[in-house]
């Protein structure tokens, strides 16, 4: 990848990687997206089939105190939660139930 500066702006040649996002060709680079603060817990949830399901589960869990991010993936049924402190599994279960799905447990 080559870069040059014109009028204070950096011009990057992306032809080498095929993407303007990262060297891996992804708009999201795990090293960049990773949370450095908090505890990451992955839960298994049944019943999610689409993006709407992912949003409903993420929205409910996001409301729990101390939660900084939630990523739900319908295809795998996994929900990754980053929080400041360990979460009470009963509270996570209640949030998932409120969204209309079932928490199986930790993945």
């Amino acid at each position: 990848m080559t870069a040059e500066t014109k009028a204070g702006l950096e011009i990057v040649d992306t032809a080498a990687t095929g993407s303007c996002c990262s060297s891996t060709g992804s708009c999201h680079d795990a090293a960049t997206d990773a949370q450095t603060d908090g505890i990451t817990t992955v839960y298994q949830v049944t019943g999610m089939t689409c993006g709407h399901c992912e949003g409903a589960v993420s929205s409910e869990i996001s409301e729990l105190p101390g939660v900084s991010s939630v990523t739900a993936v319908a295809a795998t049924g996994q929900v990754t939660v980053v929080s400041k402190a360990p979460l009470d599994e009963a509270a996570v279960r209640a949030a998932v139930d409120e969204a209309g799905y079932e928490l199986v447990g930790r993945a």
Side-chain angles (χ1 to χ4, degrees):
M1 183 183 299
T2 61
E4 62 183 70
T5 303
K6 287 188 179 181
L9 299 174
E10 182 178 28
I11 310 298
V12 178
D13 178 8
T14 60
T17 63
S19 173
C20 63
C21 300
S22 74
S23 61
T24 62
S26 170
C27 288
H28 300 285
D29 192 350
T32 304
D33 291 344
Q35 295 287 332
T36 56
D37 301 314
I39 297 167
T40 301
T41 309
V42 181
Y43 297 97
Q44 191 68 42
V45 174
T46 60
M48 295 189 299
T49 59
C50 65
H52 178 266
C53 301
E54 294 168 346
V57 169
S58 295
S59 177
E60 289 296 331
I61 294 175
S62 292
E63 293 180 17
L64 296 175
V67 172
S68 56
S69 74
V70 181
T71 304
V73 180
T76 62
Q78 292 189 340
V79 179
T80 303
V81 181
V82 178
S83 57
K84 293 179 184 177
L87 296 175
D88 176 37
E89 191 164 315
V92 176
R93 184 175 306 282
V96 172
D97 286 346
E98 181 67 26
Y101 304 92
E102 182 181 351
L103 176 68
V104 175
R106 292 184 184 203

